[in-house]
Amino acid sequence: MLTKAYAAQSPTSALAPHTIDRREPGLHDVAIEILFCGVCHSDLHTVRGEWPGVLYPSVVGHEIVGRVTAVGSEVSKVGIGSLVGVGCIVDSCQTCAACARDLEQYCENGFIGTYNGSSLGGTVNTYGGYSTAIVVDEHFVLKIAHEEKDLAAVAPLLCAGITTWSPLRHWNVGPGKKVGVVGIGGLGHMGIKLAHALGAHVVAFTTSPSKGENALALGADEVVVSTDEEQMRSHAASFDFILNTVAASHDLDAFMSLLALDGTMTVVGVPASPHPSPSVAPFIFKRRALAGSVIGGIAETQEMLDFCAEHGITADIETIAMQDIEKAFARMVKSDVKYRFVIDMATLNAD
Ligand code: NAP
Ligand code: ZN
C-alpha cells in the first residue's frame, strides 16, 4: 500500500514528503489509519543521526494512535473501527526467555523498533508514525479505552508514558516513597503524573525555572531548580528513587548524592554524547545504585494505558501540522515545549 509519509533523507536534510510502501495485512496483521503521532526526542536523535546505525530514508514516530481499517482473518484482539495505539516495538522473537516474561523490550534476539528496525534476521527497514497508515502484528497493537476526544493526548502514552511507567513500577514507586523526576519534557511530565497517581511524594527537577509552577499542576509536590546548589543540598540523601529523563549529557553525581541509603537512580535519557563518568564515593557510602530502563513490554503498556484511562490521565500536548515538524524539533532542542508535540495526521493527508 503506497502511503504518504515525512522522511529525512540524510542527517542534515529537513524532513520532507516521501512515499513508503506498507505491506498488505497478513493473517495476524492489523491495518491502522494513523490519526495522531507524538514527537519523541528519540525521533530527533534518530533523524539527525545522533545515534549510530540510522538507515535513510528515515521515517520516525512511535507514539501512534489511530483507527483500525482492516484485520487479517486470524486477528481477535481488535476489529475494524477500533481505536488503537502502536508504541516503540512492532516485532520480537516471542520465544526467548525475555519475551516469555512479556519483556519484549529486552528480547534476546533484539526487538524490532517501529522505526529504524530491520525485520528479524532481515535487512528491511521499518518506517514509523510520521505517515498516514501502518500495518502491525496484532500482538504489538494496544487497545485504547480513553474517549475519542482525548485521542491526540493519548498518543504520548505509547512511548513517554510506558518509558516512565515501567521503571516506576519496577522500582516499586508508591505511597510513602520520595521520588524525583529529572527533566520536565515529554517523558518527565508523564513521570510526574504517573508517580503522583501511584501515590508517591514527587519532586520535579528542572533547569527551566519557568516550568516550576506548571510542574505543581502536573502533580509534583515540590520543584527544585537543579542549577541552584542550595535547593539541591536541601534534598541531600533523601530520595528512594530518581527517574532521570534528561536528553543531554550532564553531571550525574549531583543527583546520585540526593539518594537515601539503598536508593536507585534510573536513567532513561539517551544523550548523543556520554555523561561524564560518575564518582565512586556517592555509590559506596549509601549503597546507592545507578540503573537504566528501556520503554516497556506490551502487556505492561496495556496496563499503563488502562491505568491512565481509569485515572483520567493523558499527556499535556501542543498539536502541530506535519509541515511544522522542523519548527517543533527546533523548539524541542531548546526545551521549549509543554510538554509534547503531537502531529495531527489529517494535515499530511491534506498535503
Ligand atoms: P524532551 O521532551 O526534550 O525532554 C528532555 C528534558 O531534559 C528537557 O525538557 C529539559 O527539561 C531537560 N534537559 C534538556 N537539556 C538539558 C541539559 N543540557 N541539562 C539538563 N537538563 C536538560 O525529551 P523526551 O522526549 O522526554 O526524551 C528524553 C530522553 O529520553 C531522550 O534522550 C530520548 O531519546 C530518551 N528516551 C529514552 C527512552 C527509553 O526507553 N529509555 C524512550 C524514549 C525516549 P527541563 O527544561 O525541565 O530541564
Ligand atoms: Zn520515544
Side-chain angles (χ1 to χ4, degrees):
M1 284 185 294
L2 291 182
T3 304
K4 285 184 176 182
Y6 251 53
Q9 299 293 340
S10 79
T12 51
S13 60
L15 264 59
H18 179 72
T19 302
I20 55 176
D21 197 6
R22 296 292 192 195
R23 67 173 184 261
E24 292 299 326
L27 294 181
H28 297 277
D29 280 340
V30 177
I32 301 162
E33 175 196 8
I34 300 177
L35 298 173
F36 297 97
C37 184
V39 179
C40 179
H41 208 115
S42 302
D43 302 351
L44 181 52
H45 290 307
T46 299
V47 292
R48 296 289 193 260
E50 292 175 9
W51 293 342
V54 178
L55 304 169
Y56 294 92
S58 175
V59 177
V60 292
H62 56 205
E63 293 184 339
I64 297 167
V65 291
R67 194 186 306 282
V68 175
T69 54
V71 292
S73 58
E74 300 288 313
V75 170
S76 56
K77 200 180 201 176
V78 293
I80 291 175
S82 305
L83 293 179
V84 294
V86 178
C88 306
I89 308 179
V90 290
D91 208 358
S92 72
C93 79
Q94 297 187 53
T95 56
C96 73
C99 286
R101 291 174 58 200
D102 290 331
L103 298 172
E104 296 91 346
Q105 76 275 35
Y106 302 114
C107 173
E108 289 167 13
N109 296 297
F111 72 81
I112 305 304
T114 302
Y115 57 77
N116 205 53
S118 54
S119 56
L120 287 168
T123 53
V124 180
N125 194 9
T126 55
Y127 298 121
Y130 293 12
S131 59
T132 54
I134 191 165
V135 178
V136 179
D137 182 299
E138 69 168 327
H139 180 78
F140 298 90
V141 173
L142 285 311
K143 294 189 270 192
I144 292 176
H146 288 79
E147 287 182 40
E148 187 165 357
K149 68 174 175 48
D150 294 329
L151 199 57
V154 169
L157 302 181
L158 275 307
C159 174
I162 184 58
T163 301
T164 50
W165 174 262
S166 184
L168 291 173
R169 298 282 287 159
H170 183 75
W171 278 277
N172 298 314
V173 163
K177 296 285 176 73
K178 184 175 176 185
V179 174
V181 178
V182 187
I184 315 178
L187 266 56
H189 98 289
M190 285 311 308
I192 293 170
K193 288 187 184 211
L194 294 173
H196 173 73
L198 288 167
H201 180 90
V202 184
V203 181
F205 291 89
T206 183
T207 57
S208 310
S210 71
K211 290 182 183 170
E213 212 157 287
N214 230 234
L216 298 177
L218 294 171
D221 297 284
E222 300 175 64
V223 180
V224 170
V225 176
S226 54
T227 48
D228 182 328
E229 281 179 25
E230 204 158 304
Q231 284 187 41
M232 290 289 277
R233 256 198 309 275
S234 70
H235 287 275
S238 66
F239 283 88
D240 298 293
F241 183 68
I242 296 177
L243 181 62
N244 187 328
T245 74
V246 171
S249 165
H250 66 283
D251 171 31
L252 299 177
D253 288 354
F255 295 105
M256 288 302 294
S257 63
L258 302 188
L259 292 172
L261 173 64
D262 285 331
T264 297
M265 176 161 81
T266 296
V267 291
V268 289
V270 190
S273 51
H275 300 299
S277 178
S279 309
V280 168
F283 287 85
I284 64 170
F285 284 108
K286 290 202 178 294
R287 204 162 55 185
R288 294 161 169 138
L290 179 60
S293 181
V294 75
I295 38 177
I298 297 302
E300 198 177 25
T301 306
Q302 192 63 62
E303 173 194 74
M304 176 275 311
L305 282 168
D306 294 346
F307 177 91
C308 288
E310 218 167 277
H311 290 78
I313 297 172
T314 55
D316 286 23
I317 61 163
E318 194 177 317
T319 306
I320 60 164
M322 184 73 258
Q323 295 79 0
D324 289 333
I325 186 64
E326 288 293 333
K327 283 185 217 156
F329 280 161
R331 280 183 52 197
M332 183 182 252
V333 169
K334 292 189 286 184
S335 303
D336 175 25
V337 45
K338 286 183 177 143
Y339 287 90
R340 199 54 137 189
F341 292 113
V342 172
I343 304 160
D344 179 350
M345 234 21 100
T347 59
L348 177 54
N349 258 324
D351 214 17

